[in-house]
Amino acid sequence: MTEQMNKIRKWIVNDYFTPNIKAEVILDTLLTPYVTEILKDQTAFKGELHFITKEMSVLESKESEQGSGYGNRGTKIDYVLGDEEAIYLVELKTTGSSINLEQADRYLRNCCSKNGQPKTFGQVFGNKLLSVMKGAFGDTYEKSFPQHLKFDKWGNSVWDGDKALWKAFLLVFRTRHLGKKYDIDEPSEKYAEAARELIRRAGWTQKDGARSRKYLYTAGQLLDYLHDHPKCMLWDKPLKLIYLTPAGECPSEEFKKEVYRDFYIGSFSLLRASEYLKKKQEDELALLLSGIIEDMFPI
């Protein structure tokens, strides 16, 4: 590695050992371009696995019962991946102490039915995202929103979810005080890029009251996934859970029960991922990441 890369490695590892600094966020970012490769190296995925987005909010079971999902607080998943078969939720943990039973129980409660069968992406993540968007973009947007989308009393969209997402996203660009105000054309592709540019021009990342509008970028990433992989639908796909931990620790013995075999795929190792990344000799970022993992965790 270059001297500059070694400096980056040093300071990231130093932050990991420094109290009150969340170095996991940095590792999360560096892992993003490799997470699908790492999982395919350690699992038996048959088809092509694709990165979709990060930090999606979970629709909590109590919200579903009350028909409200407007808030963006609560449980979020680190990575959302997909293929033709399912949507995969990947939870990253860089310390054993952060693997807790309470979080594991939330995934079982919110992402599985009572008989252990996985819920769908639309039930847990799609409807949550649409609800957050409906409440995030002001009265003008919200008044137009019901013309395109309807919800039942539990907050679930009664439209085809993938089509509903397209309509909700494009409505932002058509609304006079949103997309039109900032002179950004309605996109027909590269949806995340268009969303990012609108968010940047509008300064929504800098305004406390507008932070939820960043979920437009998440919606854009979902649409890019649907556009680029037309055989990979979202709304009706079952959810599968994966943990990525230092040594592949399982977060809960509950996951190992037969009833959850269709939901919990397994826990996989960052240390083994380091060995995989080390083989990518022409990729400086992969070598940097491998070195960071080795310096962070005991063998």
Side-chain angles (χ1 to χ4, degrees), residues 47 64 74 149 191 211 217:
S64 181
L149 296 166
Y191 299 97
R211 296 286 174 87
Y217 181 71

Side-chain angles (χ1 to χ4, degrees), residues 157-168:
S157 170
V158 296
W159 283 59
D160 177 279
D162 289 342
K163 291 180 181 177
L165 180 66
W166 291 92
K167 291 177 180 293

Side-chain angles (χ1 to χ4, degrees), residues 267-282:
S267 297
F268 302 98
S269 169
L270 287 167
L271 286 167
R272 182 170 164 182
S274 173
E275 293 301 314
Y276 168 80
L277 293 167
K278 195 183 295 184
K279 297 174 185 176
K280 300 168 79 71
Q281 289 295 314
E282 302 302 315

